[in-house]
């Protein structure tokens, strides 16, 4: 464990954030540490903020950063698109770690968010989603490796995390939008599937209205426009 410290905006109570200095963790042989470049604010962060956390934690899960420490086995324990990883690579992450072994993962596939019975979520206490991992992994900043959410200067990357290496020409501020972009793509995909009545779905010949002008609404409009709607 290093004696160096990094700053974090810690969620300590209902509508309460405290900037704290926490020890910067070192990567275990199966993990990594990133220096955060950008974290977007999700609507769920706003929904959680008025609540009382079960322990001090970091919000923020739309995260991109640069690898600053990499375990020797990390490339075999992390799920890397565009890998292998090396120190200096910029990455964006999928904030859910799923076990791949519970009945939900076996039925629907590992990596599906919100359904894994033993999942971990970067950027919010899993207990708020009714999930308690049998191995005790949680978002408590008092427990090493401390940095487990996006509203800090660093983030510890645990085994089985899904990561995407970023192209050099993609700004970090844009890369942080890849998580809500995935939500938008899935929403458009579902809306374009016929639920039984043709008129209830849309095609590239349709005219649509997106109700709600938040980031995901704007991205839904963007995706639809690219499709030709």
């Amino acid at each position: 464990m290093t004696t160096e410290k990094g700053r974090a905006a810690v969620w300590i109570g209902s509508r309460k954030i405290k900037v704290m200095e926490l020890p910067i963790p070192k990567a275990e042989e199966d993990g990594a540490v990133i220096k955060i470049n950008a974290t977007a604010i999700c609507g769920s962060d706003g929904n959680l903020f008025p609540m009382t956390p079960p322990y001090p934690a970091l919000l923020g899960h739309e995260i991109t950063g640069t690898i600053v420490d990499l375990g020797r086995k990390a490339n075999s324990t992390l799920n890397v698109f565009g890998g292998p990883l090396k120190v200096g690579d910029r990455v964006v992450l999928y904030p859910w770690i799923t076990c791949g072994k519970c009945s939900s993962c076996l039925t629907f596939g590992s990596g599906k968010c919100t359904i894994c019975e033993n999942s971990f979520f970067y950027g919010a206490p899993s207990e708020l989603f009714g999930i308690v991992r049998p191995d005790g992994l949680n978002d408590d900043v008092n427990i090493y490796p401390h940095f487990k959410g996006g509203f800090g200067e660093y983030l510890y990357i645990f085994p089985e995390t899904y990561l995407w290496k970023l192209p050099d020409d993609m700004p970090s501020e844009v890369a942080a939008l890849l998580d809500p972009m995935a939500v938008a793509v899935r929403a458009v995909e579902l809306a374009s599937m016929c639920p039984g009545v043709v008129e209830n779905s849309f095609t590239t010949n349709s005219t649509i209205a997106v109700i709600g002008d938040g980031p995901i609404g704007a991205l839904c409009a963007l995706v639809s426009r690219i499709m030709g709607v």
Side-chain angles (χ1 to χ4, degrees):
M1 186 184 301
T2 180
T3 58
E4 294 183 79
K5 292 187 176 182
R7 293 177 301 168
V10 182
W11 180 34
I12 61 171
S14 175
R15 302 182 184 276
K16 293 181 179 178
I17 294 286
K18 181 180 180 181
V19 176
M20 301 172 61
E21 289 193 341
L22 302 169
I24 301 171
K26 297 292 291 182
E28 302 292 337
E29 65 177 8
D30 57 359
V33 178
I34 65 172
K35 179 76 166 63
I36 291 180
N37 298 327
T39 300
I41 299 175
C42 178
S44 62
D45 294 319
N47 292 332
L48 290 169
F49 186 51
M51 301 170 65
T52 299
Y55 40 71
L58 295 178
L59 293 171
H61 57 270
E62 298 172 356
I63 303 165
T64 179
T66 301
I67 301 286
V68 294
D69 194 12
L70 189 68
R72 64 184 182 88
K73 295 183 179 178
N75 274 304
S76 62
T77 60
L78 300 174
N79 303 306
V80 184
F81 292 82
L85 289 174
K86 63 182 184 302
V87 171
D89 285 340
R90 290 189 311 130
V91 296
V92 65
L93 66 88
Y94 175 58
W96 290 89
I97 299 176
T98 56
C99 72
K101 298 177 178 62
C102 68
S103 59
S104 294
C105 283
L106 292 174
T107 299
F108 301 104
S110 184
K112 301 292 193 300
C113 70
T114 73
I115 65 169
C116 173
E117 299 159 21
N118 304 308
S119 57
F120 170 79
F121 184 70
Y122 290 97
S126 298
E127 291 87 341
L128 297 177
F129 307 111
I131 299 169
V132 179
R133 282 177 60 107
D135 61 3
L137 179 61
N138 62 44
D139 289 79
D140 191 339
V141 299
N142 294 312
I143 299 175
Y144 187 85
H146 312 298
F147 288 90
K148 292 172 273 188
F151 294 162
E153 291 186 307
Y154 295 87
L155 183 77
Y156 192 87
I157 305 297
F158 295 100
E160 299 303 326
T161 300
Y162 287 85
L163 297 164
W164 285 260
K165 291 177 66 172
L166 297 175
D168 292 338
D169 60 352
M170 178 177 286
S172 296
E173 293 81 359
V174 172
L177 295 174
L178 291 178
D179 184 274
M181 173 62 89
V183 177
V185 170
R186 181 60 173 155
V188 171
E189 180 182 54
L190 289 173
S192 61
M193 291 178 178
C194 178
V197 181
V198 162
E199 289 77 11
N200 283 354
S201 61
F202 73 81
T203 70
T204 53
N205 294 320
S206 301
T207 297
I208 66 170
V210 177
I211 310 300
D213 62 351
I216 291 176
L219 292 171
C220 283
L222 174 65
V223 171
S224 300
R225 189 60 176 269
I226 291 172
M227 288 172 58
V229 171

